Amino acid sequence: MAKKYIVANWKNHPDSWAEAESILNYIDEHLKGIANQESSLVVCPPFVFLEEVSRVIQLSQLTQKAELGAQDIAINDSISLTGGISGMMLVKLGARYVIIGHSERRWPRGESAGTGESNQIVNLKIKQALADGLIPIVCVGEKDRADDYIKWLKQQVGATFAGLSGDQISRCLIAYEPVWAISTNPDARPDTPESALESISAIRDFLAENHSPADVRILYGGSVTEKNAKDFLSLSEIAGVLVGGASIRKEEFVQIIKQV
Ligand code: PGA
């Protein structure tokens, strides 16, 4: 079985380092003795906790089991950018992964369309992350299930990965996250594994036809919980899960990790 990725997207939580540390300690405590060669745990805290999380990972048992990821990257390492964090800074902090193009950055909640990151910005960030040696976790997914959502998804994927070689795409993790399924949306519900597979196949086929990558690793994200994680993780076409809300509910998150 190919390795499964469990990615924790903490977003702008928790409120304090004490809480963050207690999540990590709980995971550390409960993963002892579990031989999880089959899975790779990636913890993506907010920027302010990156350095501390990196330290805890290195000093605990988690060093064998968890890796560090950031939630965003500046578009370019060499231009001045107020508020930006460059890829090289992330690398120096010990990050190996970076989430790029999350829907909350593409379409910030409460803002009208067009105020967030375009496909073009996401594309440039992927290129910068790869140049820095980071593994991009690239989020794609439709906003709603209109009749032609697969066509829309292919267009988004096409623009997001424009100009990238097959080799570069093979180095990325792709997270298929239908925006309507993300738990913070009103009326959010997880996608079904069957319907997520349709979208994932469409993404894989599109990239194969246009970029010929040797490998395409696609995760599912959107209201993943301890109840449904196994439904997604047990499918060979799905390389793992990107977990938001449930990743800071420590007891639940450990249950999710144990399902690989
Ligand atoms: P969720 O978030 O698991 O809370 O739905 C996933 C995400 O936004 O990455």
Side-chain angles (χ1 to χ4, degrees):
M1 189 175 82
K3 193 162 79 164
K4 300 280 179 177
Y5 293 85
I6 314 273
V7 182
N9 176 11
W10 284 4
K11 307 192 181 186
N12 49 337
H13 307 290
D15 288 340
S16 67
W17 168 244
E19 287 173 78
E21 196 173 23
S22 95
I23 295 172
L24 294 173
N25 288 341
Y26 186 89
I27 297 172
D28 186 29
E29 182 69 20
H30 287 79
L31 290 191
K32 278 187 192 136
I34 296 183
N36 63 340
Q37 314 290 9
E38 309 297 330
S39 70
S40 197
L41 173 61
V42 182
V43 181
C44 303
F47 283 127
V48 289
F49 299 145
L50 271 176
E51 193 164 6
E52 289 294 301
V53 172
S54 180
R55 187 180 55 80
V56 170
I57 286 178
Q58 281 166 37
L59 294 180
S60 67
Q61 303 263 341
L62 289 173
T63 189
Q64 304 293 329
K65 296 176 171 152
E67 293 179 290
L68 187 67
Q71 296 176 18
D72 189 29
I73 181 174
I75 196 166
N76 190 308
D77 279 2
S78 51
I79 52 168
S80 294
L81 181 65
T82 302
I85 314 277
S86 72
M88 282 323 293
M89 289 174 170
L90 298 177
V91 169
K92 283 186 191 145
L93 286 174
R96 186 148 182 252
Y97 296 81
V98 57
I99 297 173
I100 300 180
H102 191 279
S103 60
E104 288 157 356
R105 301 196 65 85
R106 290 177 183 263
W107 301 287
R109 303 278 188 270
E111 291 290 334
S112 53
T115 57
E117 294 180 2
S118 62
N119 289 325
Q120 194 191 0
I121 289 176
V122 174
N123 178 270
L124 291 170
K125 287 185 171 187
I126 298 170
K127 289 174 180 159
Q128 183 60 61
L130 288 168
D132 289 326
L134 289 159
I135 299 174
I137 303 172
V138 185
C139 300
V140 294
E142 77 283 0
K143 285 172 85 172
D144 45 49
R145 275 282 158 98
D147 288 346
D148 60 349
Y149 77 93
I150 291 281
K151 186 171 159 213
W152 188 96
L153 187 58
K154 286 183 183 172
Q155 277 167 357
Q156 186 197 39
V157 170
T160 296
F161 291 97
L164 286 162
S165 67
D167 175 57
Q168 286 175 309
I169 290 173
S170 296
R171 282 154 58 199
C172 296
L173 294 178
I174 300 171
Y176 170 61
E177 292 205 310
V179 182
W180 49 268
I182 293 178
S183 68
T184 45
N185 278 307
D187 307 323
R189 60 189 190 289
D191 201 356
T192 62
E194 298 74 34
S195 122
L197 272 184
E198 268 179 52
S199 303
I200 285 171
S201 301
I203 296 168
R204 182 171 282 119
D205 291 350
F206 178 89
L207 291 172
E209 276 162 33
N210 293 283
H211 301 262
S212 311
D215 193 16
V216 183
R217 295 170 295 175
I218 308 181
L219 284 55
Y220 169 77
S223 294
V224 172
T225 63
E226 63 180 309
K227 291 200 176 74
N228 62 20
K230 192 158 196 109
D231 300 341
F232 296 101
L233 288 166
S234 60
L235 298 170
S236 60
E237 298 90 337
I238 296 186
V241 286
L242 176 53
V243 188
S247 72
I248 48 170
R249 298 194 291 270
K250 53 192 177 192
E251 293 86 359
E252 178 164 6
F253 190 58
V254 164
Q255 291 310 318
I256 293 174
I257 299 170
K258 286 184 174 172
Q259 290 183 31
V260 174

